[in-house]
Amino acid sequence: MSEENENIGFELTDELLEQVRQLVEEQNDKELQKFLEEFHYADIAEILDDLNLEEAIYVIKLLDSETTADILMELDEDNREKVLRNLSAKEIAEEVEELDTDDAADIIAELPEERRHEVISNIIDEEHKAIIKELLLYDEDTAGGLMAKELVKVYETWTVAGCMRRIRGQAKDVTRVHSIYVVDKNERLIGRLSLKDLITAKSEQKIAEISNSNVDSVNVHDEAEDVVRIMQKYDLEAIPVVDDDQVLLGRITIDDIVDVMKEEAEKDYQLAAGITGDVEADDTIWRLTKARLPWLLIGMFGGIGAASIINGFSGAFQKFPILLIFIPLIQATAGNVGVQSSAIVVQGLANDTIDGKIFSRLFKEFILALVNGLAISIIVLGISHFIFHTSYFESLTICVALVTVIIMAAIIGTFIPIFLDKRGVDAAVATGPFITTSNDVFGIFIYFLIAKMILGF
Amino acid sequence: MSEENENIGFELTDELLEQVRQLVEEQNDKELQKFLEEFHYADIAEILDDLNLEEAIYVIKLLDSETTADILMELDEDNREKVLRNLSAKEIAEEVEELDTDDAADIIAELPEERRHEVISNIIDEEHKAIIKELLLYDEDTAGGLMAKELVKVYETWTVAGCMRRIRGQAKDVTRVHSIYVVDKNERLIGRLSLKDLITAKSEQKIAEISNSNVDSVNVHDEAEDVVRIMQKYDLEAIPVVDDDQVLLGRITIDDIVDVMKEEAEKDYQLAAGITGDVEADDTIWRLTKARLPWLLIGMFGGIGAASIINGFSGAFQKFPILLIFIPLIQATAGNVGVQSSAIVVQGLANDTIDGKIFSRLFKEFILALVNGLAISIIVLGISHFIFHTSYFESLTICVALVTVIIMAAIIGTFIPIFLDKRGVDAAVATGPFITTSNDVFGIFIYFLIAKMILGF
């Protein structure tokens, strides 16, 4: 990192935190303001996330609302909630006035129902207020919930010169222009052009002549995850949002998509590890317990199920006690294979690369499981024979069971996510503890069943 | 989806595929061209991914290189490799000439060493050739490996009017302008301005007056994942890349970052499930085996380890056979808790939210594990007593073991990723099968140790 770009090389050190704490404690407002001025709002948010609540609120109240509005957006959700609880409705309204409409609506949506109205009624700018009210009507998981109303719009009948004049006014409110959207007299989206097209065109040309009528858009009710997929697939940096009559309502920009992508990826990763509810390492014990205990309980009931199965086959472990020591091996292998298969399918479903090809997927997993199963069986055969001195039939039992359990685990791991997806359930829940537990129980059952068939107890 | 935006509503149906196949088979070039013309290149890539190789190559050779270059970039990596193997060096060079320099370099980097030179020597545009050669020198996981040379650059001494004239020429080669970068006479980056700033400024103003000197940049040797974190954190849509002397070399745009983010997320998700090497559902059996078998072998050796432990405590299961049926429960719980803990830590490490706070993390995991452990123990106590009729000391053994194993699994799950991260190893490997296996083995060992202490066999 070069010296000139100190922001980009930002690192939150203990010394830095201590310095801020000191200044807050001394109530040295002037120095504190001067000190924080140097930092990007995202860095200040990182600092505030590590201060205690009183200190954070002190800083928020000290800085001007233009900066603090951006800081608020970057804070951890939990910390933001706490800070907002300590600000008056009027103070929140001031922050909200500084934000783009989509961020403003997101902040207000996080407030408890009764505070929302209070904050909204404190917003002075009537247009901003009306827009926020409109945006709050959309579900947060739809295009409407992601869009901002700030955009640059021109009418097809304008000339390039007239357009340049008019958009100078509009563009001031829009942080990043991306595309200029062309509408007809009924406000219906009919094309787009870039600022580049505009400045490289002749000033007397009509907008209709230089605009591109091939404009992608999403419907305001489309699901957020579809919008993410579309923007990613077509490498779009902004996409206009229209209603059912093709009337231009707003636009979604790539920075919001990046945030959604990150959240989705973290949620899926946690689900695969048996954690629900998008928690973070520094959440409260209570929140973390709510996120984790249910999945442990699933595993526990699976363990109890397995105990019942083993108990049911108690005849076996009187005659062939050596079989019991391989239970962990069977269980671990079943669990691992199941998670592998389901993870691949969950990812394929998310990327839309497995549609309707269930049988070919199952067949492929079958072959793959057979190959892996045989490889593992051969090694286990040697080890069980030479180290644990299993008899011929005992070894056979273990190996046949391993191959069967691997194949079955692969098929369960493949089938369950596809089944859930068909039913409209998020397939991502069907990996991690869920698959591991089902495979543990099935695996042990199959193990004893095969033992019974081969050894006949 | 509205009818006007057919691209956005694209769905790859069997009928559509059949239609393309039919046209290829009939060698009906004119109809095929007309048919495919309607689709976005990303959609055509999706179609080609589902055709067989000969059909795909037929289509690639039929369409003009402007379209096929973009299609190539969107193809599955494996399919792209196969297609490129079937094109001559000259044909590849033609495709490459149509691409932005970063994409062009990426394509060439995927070719085998000896073909690279052949393709490069077939590139006609000398400037494009020189730039690609330069880009190939950078490691693909660095800022240099992500950057494109296409950008709009102005000198601080220019006027707005002069600038507008000059950038009309430059902008033609740049797909999306984002920022205009301001350099001094030594080509050093000293500021930036947006097209919006330019069109809202007066034409006689000097660039130096309207440009923003607070310009973020990354060094050409910075790691790709740091660039991703920075662009995400600061909501940047493009970032300039400079060398150690602050000379402007290129820029990285958000669409490349989105691709890196997606790849990283998929890689981490797969690692957590015990799959290495970024495979996809439709990869070959051999590739999938290479990605999955090693992790299954880790689990297998864990299973063998567990078998040895149980075998070593064989005195126990002669006296207290009921203990054995709870092995799966102990094992499943240890595995689940370990994966939960490690996933949270791995994510925290990736987001840079746990630095240096190892002991507070461990303490928190300890408390959390105690809470979860007690909750599960109480339920298991009831079940083991009423269903499996365990004695008082047997029940005590099971519950004490459960709580201990949960605490230990949580600590191992927390500690291992942090330890690996400190050593410079990607912490993401330390979840899934790796953690599950270590916890399985330790868990079973602790179970028997506690049994020995309480029941004294």
Side-chain angles (χ1 to χ4, degrees):
Chain A
M1 303 279 166
S2 57
E3 288 170 356
E4 282 90 339
N5 303 306
E6 50 203 23
N7 284 343
I8 285 301
F10 177 78
E11 206 181 319
L12 185 53
T13 60
D14 287 346
E15 294 77 53
L16 199 154
L17 260 184
E18 205 32 64
Q19 231 170 323
V20 175
R21 281 217 173 94
Q22 192 77 37
L23 290 169
V24 171
E25 208 191 320
E26 293 167 5
Q27 309 210 348
N28 190 343
D29 294 356
K30 226 169 141 187
E31 274 299 308
L32 187 57
Q33 251 166 334
K34 220 180 101 193
F35 183 76
L36 291 176
E37 220 163 58
E38 287 175 35
F39 296 103
H40 189 281
Y41 60 79
D43 297 327
I44 303 182
E46 218 176 297
I47 296 171
L48 295 197
D49 275 331
D50 272 24
L51 294 179
N52 68 39
L53 186 60
E54 290 89 71
E55 292 165 340
I57 288 167
Y58 188 88
V59 174
I60 295 269
K61 293 202 175 181
L62 176 70
L63 301 178
D64 62 62
S65 56
E66 204 178 320
T67 318
T68 52
D70 288 326
I71 295 174
L72 272 181
M73 285 308 296
E74 296 292 328
L75 281 183
D76 245 21
E77 209 180 312
D78 296 358
N79 290 333
R80 180 164 59 236
E81 197 193 310
K82 282 183 212 148
V83 168
L84 290 177
R85 226 182 285 148
N86 283 276
L87 295 182
S88 69
K90 192 157 167 295
E91 283 168 326
I92 299 176
E94 276 166 25
E95 305 284 358
V96 157
E97 302 238 24
E98 297 292 338
L99 292 170
D100 277 353
T101 48
D102 55 339
D103 293 335
D106 287 346
I107 289 259
I108 293 180
E110 282 177 19
L111 296 172
E113 193 70 34
E114 63 283 6
R115 285 206 90 189
R116 271 187 223 173
H117 303 291
E118 216 186 322
V119 170
I120 293 173
S121 64
N122 271 289
I123 297 173
I124 297 163
D125 181 338
E126 287 299 328
E127 201 192 330
H128 208 61
K129 190 193 284 190
I131 288 174
I132 289 171
K133 278 185 178 170
E134 179 199 331
L135 290 180
L136 283 173
L137 296 176
Y138 301 112
D139 185 332
E140 62 165 332
D141 294 327
T142 64
L146 286 174
M147 75 180 180
K149 299 292 284 187
E150 286 86 358
L151 51 80
V152 179
K153 183 176 78 178
V154 297
Y155 292 87
E156 56 175 334
T157 49
W158 290 1
T159 62
V160 168
C163 183
M164 286 284 258
R165 250 191 332 268
R166 305 289 279 270
I167 69 170
R168 277 189 184 122
Q170 290 185 37
K172 279 195 180 117
D173 295 332
V174 181
T175 325
R176 284 154 182 161
V177 172
H178 295 286
S179 277
I180 299 162
Y181 300 114
V182 183
V183 294
D184 65 14
K185 62 181 192 308
N186 297 316
E187 303 288 331
R188 283 194 300 234
L189 178 70
I190 55 169
R192 69 177 163 86
L193 56 127
S194 66
L195 272 182
K196 196 180 90 181
D197 296 331
L198 207 58
I199 63 168
T200 52
K202 297 201 183 66
S203 56
E204 66 278 7
Q205 279 182 294
K206 279 263 186 298
I207 291 300
E209 287 170 55
I210 61 165
S211 81
N212 183 347
S213 66
N214 189 5
V215 52
D216 297 324
S217 63
V218 289
N219 185 286
V220 70
H221 300 299
D222 283 346
E223 279 182 44
E225 63 179 73
D226 287 331
V227 179
V228 171
R229 207 172 37 76
I230 286 166
M231 290 188 72
Q232 204 175 300
K233 176 172 173 190
Y234 298 110
D235 281 342
L236 304 176
E237 302 198 330
I239 198 165
V241 181
V242 297
D243 68 9
D244 295 335
D245 297 323
Q246 198 66 9
V247 171
L248 180 62
L249 294 181
R251 65 153 190 183
I252 297 170
T253 49
I254 188 78
D255 54 318
D256 297 316
I257 293 303
V258 166
D259 294 341
V260 174
M261 274 179 71
K262 196 173 169 229
E263 270 171 42
E264 288 287 319
E266 295 197 340
K267 213 186 65 187
D268 285 353
Y269 188 79
Q270 293 194 348
L271 263 183
I275 306 171
T276 33
D278 197 17
V279 290
E280 275 167 60
D282 50 7
D283 277 340
T284 60
I285 300 270
W286 167 237
R287 234 183 119 173
L288 286 167
T289 303
K290 268 204 310 188
R292 290 165 59 164
L293 188 56
W295 293 98
L296 296 181
L297 291 176
I298 291 180
M300 185 203 75
F301 285 111
I304 298 290
S308 310
I309 292 171
I310 303 175
N311 207 29
F313 283 97
S314 61
F317 58 95
Q318 270 143 31
K319 280 201 201 153
F320 304 98
I322 197 79
L323 287 186
L324 287 164
I325 72 167
F326 291 102
I327 289 177
L329 173 66
I330 298 282
Q331 186 180 351
T333 310
N336 287 342
V337 171
V339 169
Q340 287 182 334
S341 305
S342 67
I344 292 255
V345 172
V346 167
Q347 228 167 41
L349 287 168
N351 291 338
D352 241 352
T353 52
I354 14 178
D355 13 51
K357 296 180 243 163
I358 302 187
F359 285 103
S360 68
R361 277 281 335 130
L362 283 174
F363 181 71
K364 192 167 186 178
E365 275 296 326
F366 173 80
I367 299 293
L368 189 63
L370 195 65
V371 172
N372 286 340
L374 288 175
I376 288 178
S377 292
I378 290 167
I379 302 174
V380 169
L381 188 70
I383 293 176
S384 65
H385 181 73
F386 289 108
I387 298 185
F388 300 107
H389 312 295
T390 49
S391 72
Y392 173 74
F393 279 109
E394 283 165 348
S395 302
L396 185 70
T397 300
I398 295 160
C399 291
V400 172
L402 262 178
V403 174
T404 315
V405 160
I406 289 175
I407 290 173
M408 196 217 49
I411 289 174
I412 292 180
T414 307
F415 183 72
I416 292 186
I418 293 179
F419 174 78
L420 290 182
D421 186 67
K422 293 248 169 223
R423 299 238 143 189
V425 179
D426 181 3
V429 301
T431 182
F434 185 84
I435 287 291
T436 315
T437 303
S438 4
N439 282 338
D440 282 359
V441 180
F442 270 102
I444 288 169
F445 181 67
I446 285 181
Y447 178 43
F448 282 104
L449 214 59
I450 287 173
K452 201 181 166 109
M453 274 157 41
I454 294 179
L455 301 170
F457 41 79
Chain B
M1 304 279 164
S2 57
E3 288 170 355
E4 282 91 341
N5 303 309
E6 50 204 22
N7 283 344
I8 286 301
F10 178 77
E11 207 180 318
L12 185 54
T13 59
D14 287 346
E15 293 78 53
L16 199 155
L17 261 184
E18 205 30 66
Q19 232 171 320
V20 175
R21 282 217 172 95
Q22 191 77 35
L23 289 169
V24 171
E25 206 191 321
E26 291 167 7
Q27 310 207 347
N28 190 343
D29 294 356
K30 224 169 142 188
E31 274 299 308
L32 186 57
Q33 252 166 331
K34 218 179 103 193
F35 183 75
L36 291 175
E37 219 163 60
E38 287 174 37
F39 296 103
H40 188 281
Y41 59 79
D43 297 328
I44 303 182
E46 217 175 298
I47 296 171
L48 294 197
D49 274 331
D50 273 24
L51 293 180
N52 68 39
L53 187 60
E54 289 88 73
E55 292 165 340
I57 287 167
Y58 188 87
V59 174
I60 295 269
K61 294 205 173 180
L62 175 70
L63 301 178
D64 62 63
S65 56
E66 203 177 322
T67 317
T68 53
D70 289 326
I71 295 174
L72 273 180
M73 285 307 297
E74 297 291 328
L75 280 185
D76 246 19
E77 210 180 312
D78 297 357
N79 290 333
R80 179 165 58 237
E81 197 193 310
K82 282 184 213 148
V83 168
L84 289 178
R85 225 182 286 149
N86 282 277
L87 295 182
S88 70
K90 193 158 167 295
E91 283 167 326
I92 299 176
E94 275 167 25
E95 305 284 358
V96 158
E97 302 238 27
E98 297 291 338
L99 292 169
D100 276 353
T101 48
D102 56 338
D103 293 336
D106 288 346
I107 288 260
I108 292 180
E110 282 177 19
L111 296 172
E113 194 70 34
E114 65 282 6
R115 285 207 90 189
R116 272 187 221 172
H117 303 289
E118 213 186 324
V119 170
I120 292 172
S121 66
N122 270 289
I123 296 173
I124 298 162
D125 180 338
E126 286 299 327
E127 200 193 330
H128 207 62
K129 190 193 284 190
I131 288 175
I132 288 171
K133 277 184 176 169
E134 179 199 332
L135 290 179
L136 284 173
L137 296 176
Y138 301 111
D139 185 333
E140 62 164 332
D141 294 328
T142 65
L146 285 175
M147 76 179 179
K149 300 291 283 188
E150 287 85 358
L151 51 79
V152 179
K153 183 175 77 179
V154 297
Y155 292 87
E156 54 175 336
T157 50
W158 289 2
T159 62
V160 168
C163 184
M164 286 285 257
R165 250 192 333 268
R166 305 287 280 270
I167 69 170
R168 276 187 186 122
Q170 290 184 35
K172 279 195 180 118
D173 294 332
V174 182
T175 324
R176 284 155 184 160
V177 173
H178 296 286
S179 277
I180 298 163
Y181 300 114
V182 184
V183 293
D184 64 15
K185 61 181 192 309
N186 297 316
E187 303 289 332
R188 283 195 299 236
L189 179 69
I190 54 168
R192 69 176 163 86
L193 56 127
S194 66
L195 272 182
K196 196 180 91 183
D197 297 331
L198 207 59
I199 62 168
T200 53
K202 296 200 184 65
S203 57
E204 66 278 9
Q205 280 182 293
K206 279 260 185 300
I207 291 299
E209 288 171 54
I210 60 164
S211 81
N212 184 348
S213 66
N214 189 5
V215 53
D216 297 325
S217 63
V218 288
N219 186 286
V220 69
H221 300 298
D222 283 346
E223 278 183 44
E225 62 179 74
D226 287 332
V227 179
V228 171
R229 209 172 35 76
I230 287 166
M231 291 188 71
Q232 203 175 302
K233 176 172 172 191
Y234 299 109
D235 281 342
L236 304 176
E237 301 198 330
I239 197 163
V241 181
V242 296
D243 68 10
D244 295 336
D245 297 323
Q246 198 68 9
V247 170
L248 180 62
L249 294 181
R251 64 152 190 182
I252 297 170
T253 49
I254 187 79
D255 52 320
D256 297 315
I257 293 302
V258 166
D259 293 342
V260 175
M261 274 179 71
K262 197 173 169 227
E263 269 170 41
E264 288 288 318
E266 295 195 341
K267 211 186 67 187
D268 285 353
Y269 188 80
Q270 292 193 349
L271 263 183
I275 306 170
T276 33
D278 198 15
V279 290
E280 275 167 59
D282 50 9
D283 276 340
T284 59
I285 299 271
W286 167 237
R287 235 183 118 173
L288 286 167
T289 302
K290 268 204 310 189
R292 290 166 59 164
L293 188 55
W295 294 98
L296 296 181
L297 290 176
I298 290 181
M300 184 204 77
F301 284 112
I304 298 290
S308 310
I309 292 171
I310 302 175
N311 207 28
F313 283 98
S314 60
F317 57 95
Q318 271 143 31
K319 278 203 201 150
F320 305 97
I322 197 79
L323 287 185
L324 286 165
I325 71 167
F326 292 102
I327 289 176
L329 172 66
I330 298 283
Q331 186 181 352
T333 310
N336 287 341
V337 170
V339 168
Q340 287 182 335
S341 304
S342 68
I344 292 255
V345 172
V346 167
Q347 228 166 41
L349 287 169
N351 290 338
D352 241 352
T353 53
I354 15 179
D355 14 50
K357 297 179 241 164
I358 302 186
F359 286 103
S360 67
R361 278 280 335 130
L362 283 174
F363 181 71
K364 193 168 187 178
E365 275 296 326
F366 174 79
I367 299 292
L368 189 63
L370 195 65
V371 171
N372 285 340
L374 289 175
I376 288 177
S377 293
I378 290 167
I379 302 174
V380 169
L381 188 70
I383 293 176
S384 64
H385 182 73
F386 290 108
I387 299 184
F388 299 108
H389 311 295
T390 50
S391 72
Y392 172 73
F393 279 110
E394 284 166 346
S395 301
L396 186 69
T397 300
I398 295 161
C399 290
V400 171
L402 261 179
V403 174
T404 315
V405 161
I406 288 176
I407 290 173
M408 196 218 48
I411 290 173
I412 292 180
T414 306
F415 183 72
I416 293 187
I418 293 179
F419 173 78
L420 289 182
D421 185 66
K422 293 248 168 220
R423 301 239 143 189
V425 179
D426 181 4
V429 301
T431 182
F434 184 83
I435 288 290
T436 316
T437 303
S438 5
N439 282 338
D440 282 0
V441 179
F442 270 102
I444 288 170
F445 181 68
I446 285 181
Y447 178 44
F448 282 104
L449 214 60
I450 286 172
K452 199 178 167 107
M453 274 156 43
I454 293 178
L455 301 170
F457 41 80

